[in-house]
Every structure is written in C-alpha cells, then in structure tokens.
Amino acid sequence: MAARTASFADAEGDGGSRAAWVGARGDAMLTTTALQPLAHDLDETTPDFVVIDVETACARVSSICQVGIVGFRNGAEVFAYETLVDPRDEFHAFNTRIHGIAAHHVVGQPSFADIHATVTAHLSGRTTVAHSYFDKGALAAACRVHDRPAIETTWLDSVRVAKRAWPDLANHKLGQLARYLGIEHRHHDALSDARAAGWVIVKAIDHTGLTLADWLAPPRVAGPAPAAALDGPLRGERIALLGQPRDGPLAHRVAALGARVMTSVGATTTILLVAGPDPQARALRTHPARLKAEALRRDGGAIRILGEADLDALLHRV
C-alpha cells in the first residue's frame, strides 16, 4: 500500500501547486515510504483523538482521492498517515484546481476499498475530529460505494469547537483559524488540513480550559450575568470578561465585589478582565475583544486591560 508521512507542503511551500511539486520531485515520490504503525499498536502513542481530512475528485462525495489522518495525545502529534487514493471515479477540473490532484497522480494508488481497513483501525472506537462534517459524509458515502462496513467512531466538529472558543472571529474557516492561531497550514492538502484541525482542538482546550470530554458534551448556553452587589471595592466598575463566560466563577467573584458584568466590550466598559494564568497568551492578545479594548484606549477611553493577578493587586491596594 502506498502511503507517506510528509505533507506535499514539505516539498513546495505555500506558493506552489501539487502539480509543480510532482513535476519537481517526480511521480515516484507519491508512492514511497511505509505506513507508520497503527495507533492501536503502540500504547505510548495511543491518541486522545484523531483527525481526518479527505479530498475528493469530483462532486460526488464518495470520490475520495486523498486521505490524511493525524493522532494527538497530551497536546502533541503522535502519528500521521497520508495516502493518495484511486477514487474509481472521474476527476473534475474544478476539484483539481482546488487540491492539485489529477487522474494521473492516482494511477497505481490504492482504492478506498484497499485502505478501508487502515482507516478503520485509526478511527474505530476513537474520538475523530473533522473540520465540518464533510469528511464524515465522504467516508460514509465511500463505504457505501465500495461496499465496506461503516466506520464506527465518535465525531467532533472542530468548526463547532472554534465557534465556541473564539466566537468573535469573522469566520471559522480552517485557513482563517490557522492564521489567527499561528498554525502552519497548506489548505486543501489532506494531511496539512487534518494536522491544522487537530491543533485547533489543542489550542481550544488550552484557551478555554475545557477538556476533550467537555467539548464532546452538548454545548452549554451561558446564563445571565450575576447581579452586582450593592457595595464593594469594585462598585461602579463595568467589567467585560475574556476567557470565561459571563456567568462563570470569575463573573460571580467580581459581581460580589460590586462590579457590573458586561456581555461584551463597549464604550462604557471600564475593565477588560482577562481570565487565566497567562493574560499575554497569543490567543488572548489577538482576541477581538482585546483588540477592541485597545482601540478604545487609543481613542482616549478609560478602559483598563487587567489579568487576574492585576485584579488581585488592585484589590490589595483598595
């Protein structure tokens, strides 16, 4: 079975097409290197979750022509698997323009039926991440077309995770998230897409403090902000929170001290309170709420940006 463990991006970088990569390195490069050990085979690398991405040859979602799978454990990548696939279907020019894979690239490559057992071994019984459920539907369709059993796994949509973790972003496409979070990424390469979606999950866990089990649970809808105490050292402050919900423990703490908890940063907000041990973390420094607060300060607004340690120091001085 032809498979490899390095992305096309390793050879060509962001500016080049897969066709150029093939021309430079030769089609033989697409059929080299052995498959890495399956995730089930190595206890020390058993992943907390796996991520899959597929590319398709035409409008039929069953026409998988590339598969990338990456396993993550304890916030780090533990294995990667990628292969081109003969879709046993036609290639449309539209699809080839997107991912660079054409019919001649998959000559002699395995069909989906050939790799079904490998994909199943990586995914079955695990938590499987995909950026939107396109890949879930493509796998299901390919199983039907190639007369193979459906793959039983627990699915987690990284788009849904990203929308909850960073709700203020303009969009939650994988390319936008990769740029925002500083993730190296080559779009529409199955291995690179899978790897980037995996890092979205890792960074969302770090950013929110929610565990993988929390992300698999139905999303919690934030309740109303707690009412401000009638008196206290924070009386008169209007505090927006970054990194915790408006009804979380930090919100209750500042409300008990007299502050009014705001839903978002606005012209009347006096403090943006950044939750967590590292208020200078990149994801927090580039969060839209913080950028808005900084813009208000530049325009002469009285808003302060404080971490929890800063708040403790402020209360100590009061």
Side-chain angles (χ1 to χ4, degrees):
M1 179 183 300
R4 59 188 185 85
T5 58
S7 166
F8 284 98
D10 298 336
E12 187 61 21
D14 288 342
S17 68
R18 180 170 287 107
W21 183 87
V22 170
R25 297 298 183 96
D27 285 352
M29 290 294 291
L30 300 178
T31 60
T32 59
T33 78
L35 176 66
Q36 286 193 355
L38 294 179
H40 292 278
D41 295 341
L42 298 175
D43 290 341
E44 66 270 21
T45 59
T46 299
D48 299 324
F49 65 92
V50 296
V51 195
I52 190 166
D53 186 86
V54 304
E55 301 297 332
T56 54
C58 63
R60 286 176 287 277
V61 294
S62 61
S63 63
I64 294 173
C65 61
Q66 187 192 21
V67 173
I69 303 174
V70 181
F72 284 82
R73 180 181 176 87
N74 295 330
E77 181 180 325
V78 292
F79 79 88
Y81 164 75
E82 184 273 343
T83 185
L84 291 177
V85 180
D86 182 348
R88 305 295 169 87
D89 205 337
E90 61 185 342
F91 277 80
H92 289 176
F94 176 82
N95 295 62
T96 295
R97 282 195 297 271
I98 291 174
H99 50 56
I101 305 171
H104 70 277
H105 294 137
V106 301
V107 173
Q109 298 296 318
S111 69
F112 181 80
D114 296 326
I115 67 167
H116 176 271
T118 299
V119 175
T120 299
H122 281 309
L123 272 57
S124 182
R126 303 208 184 282
T127 296
T128 299
V129 172
H131 201 68
S132 85
Y133 282 137
F134 172 83
D135 306 275
K136 176 183 178 181
L139 284 180
C143 287
R144 290 192 299 269
V145 168
H146 293 273
D147 194 25
R148 291 296 185 270
I151 299 173
E152 299 298 329
T153 190
T154 300
W155 289 95
L156 177 62
D157 180 6
S158 53
V159 175
R160 180 175 67 85
V161 170
K163 286 181 176 179
R164 288 177 59 191
W166 302 282
D168 296 324
L169 290 182
N171 69 70
H172 297 84
K173 296 178 181 179
L174 192 54
Q176 164 71 14
L177 287 166
R179 287 188 294 274
Y180 177 67
L181 297 172
I183 299 169
E184 184 177 351
H185 178 228
R186 177 190 174 97
H187 204 15
H188 295 302
D189 173 272
L191 184 61
S192 183
D193 282 351
R195 180 173 284 122
W199 281 112
V200 167
I201 298 297
V202 171
K203 289 177 180 291
I205 289 172
D206 290 343
H207 174 60
T208 64
L210 298 176
T211 66
L212 185 64
D214 293 331
W215 285 114
L216 288 166
R220 173 185 174 274
V221 178
L230 295 179
D231 199 6
L234 295 179
R235 182 181 177 184
E237 301 287 0
R238 300 165 70 89
I239 299 179
L241 301 179
L242 174 56
Q244 280 197 21
R246 64 177 180 265
D247 62 343
L250 189 56
H252 281 274
R253 180 190 175 197
V254 298
L257 295 172
R260 179 178 175 182
V261 177
M262 311 299 290
T263 301
S264 60
V265 174
T268 63
T269 305
T270 59
I271 295 175
L272 173 63
L273 183 55
V274 184
D278 184 10
Q280 298 303 320
R282 184 183 187 281
L284 297 175
R285 284 189 287 107
T286 59
H287 192 282
R290 183 162 188 154
L291 297 178
K292 184 174 182 180
E294 290 173 347
L296 288 170
R297 289 179 63 182
R298 287 194 299 271
D299 291 340
I303 187 170
R304 291 172 288 173
I305 301 174
L306 305 178
E308 290 187 64
D310 300 321
L311 178 66
D312 292 337
L314 174 65
L315 293 172
H316 183 72
R317 293 194 299 269
V318 173

